[in-house]
Amino acid sequence: MNEKEFWHWLQPKLAEQFFIQRIENMVGAGVPDVHLCHRRTGKEVWLELKYAADWPVHDATPVFSKRGLRPEQISWISARSRAGMRILIVARVRRELFLVLGHHAAVFNEWGRDRLTQGCENAFKLPLNAEWNSTLNSAVLGPVYYI
């Protein structure tokens, strides 16, 4: 699986509750991959998708260092997160899904398995067989859990 296949897996799971706009924009550097608008409430969230096929050998080794956020993405996400925009980095590693709040963009590429799983443990670490869609709904509609 790669990031494109990850999107093809994720998109149908979102379509029932969200209007979806996949961003294929080479003009606006740093713009996240997907814009969602909740069909009932109109609340919006941006998603940046990241995929890694496997965990690094050592827990502290960065998971997404080579395929992580580009400097333009870090800048775009960080600035808008500080302004109050809701942005999630949706990261999949093997069969686990992580929703990382955008204000972590500047350090996301440095996170190893230990930090990613520890930081998300009580908020948004989701096995793919879980009712993760309700957690995504909460991230868009409800309170934000900071990690």
Side-chain angles (χ1 to χ4, degrees), residues 100-138:
V100 178
L101 298 173
H103 72 268
H104 292 296
V107 295
F108 175 77
N109 290 350
E110 302 166 11
W111 285 5
R113 181 180 191 166
D114 54 355
R115 179 65 181 105
L116 187 62
T117 57
Q118 176 190 17
C120 294
E121 193 168 71
N122 295 316
F124 297 132
K125 177 186 171 192
L126 306 163
L128 295 183
N129 60 357
E131 290 297 324
W132 65 270
N133 205 11
S134 64
T135 303
L136 178 60
N137 236 351
S138 295

Side-chain angles (χ1 to χ4, degrees), residues 23 25 27-34 46-48 70 72-73 76:
I23 308 299
N25 187 352
V27 176
V31 177
D33 297 316
V34 180
W46 288 87
L47 305 179
E48 178 57 41
R70 297 186 318 274
E72 312 84 49
Q73 292 174 310
W76 196 101

